Amino acid sequence: MTSRTTRSLGILTLERGVPPGGKPPTPAPGSILNPSSFEFPAIQEIVAGAWVENVVSGDPALEPAYIAAANRLVERGAAAISSTCGFSIRHQSAVAAAVKVPVVMSSLILLPALLRQVPAPGKIAVLTYDSKHLSEDLLGVADPAERARVVIGGIEGGKYWHDELKRPAPPMDIKAIESDVADCIARLRGAHPEIAVILFECAGFPTVASAIRRTANLPVYDITDLCRMTMASIA
């Protein structure tokens, strides 16, 4: 069994392309890939062929690559598995069945619990990289009354959305992410003043979570919160 002092979070990462000079940019503060985001070590494996475009759109052919990368992480000592894209939840069941460690591929796993946390008529706002591809099956909410309390907003068409589709992807523009996310939240709250909690689907959004908590004055949950909780549960 992995000891408490050496246990690591295993992170499945998407393809980013080779940047000029061959050196990847330093992950932004708050990012799931930034070592300072966690009190425990994290290790990474790239999911071969998994680019933002085909992961978000839901290419089923990626599943074997997700499983293979997850197994490599476990072989390297990962005590739990997560990912850098919330749309990877499509492969949650397959990866969880393939490895014998906890698997939390997406913050969307938190949505049913948040609906219980917030009493009706309070609503949960799900902020996503691309709302056009956040299909109903990814939400995990079957009850129509509960589904009516979930509102979805995306930043598709914004600068960060375009940046992530580039090969190689450029360094994160934190100001652009914050602006896109804040604008989306403002639109959602204008239409749904009952919003009581915000859930970030996108694993890039934790970089602006602290700023959004201050400006929106609402609880904000993201993938890093789920990773911390999962790692804290492991002996």
Side-chain angles (χ1 to χ4, degrees), residues 9-13 32-33 38 42-45 73 80 82-84:
L9 171 68
I11 304 174
L12 298 168
T13 68
I32 188 175
L33 297 178
F38 302 116
I43 55 178
Q44 305 170 26
E45 284 283 345
L73 285 170
S82 190
S83 83
T84 60

Side-chain angles (χ1 to χ4, degrees), residues 68-90:
N71 278 313
R72 292 196 299 271
L73 285 170
V74 172
E75 289 169 2
R76 292 173 57 195
I81 303 291
S82 190
S83 83
T84 60
C85 181
F87 285 93
S88 298
I89 196 171
R90 293 187 177 95

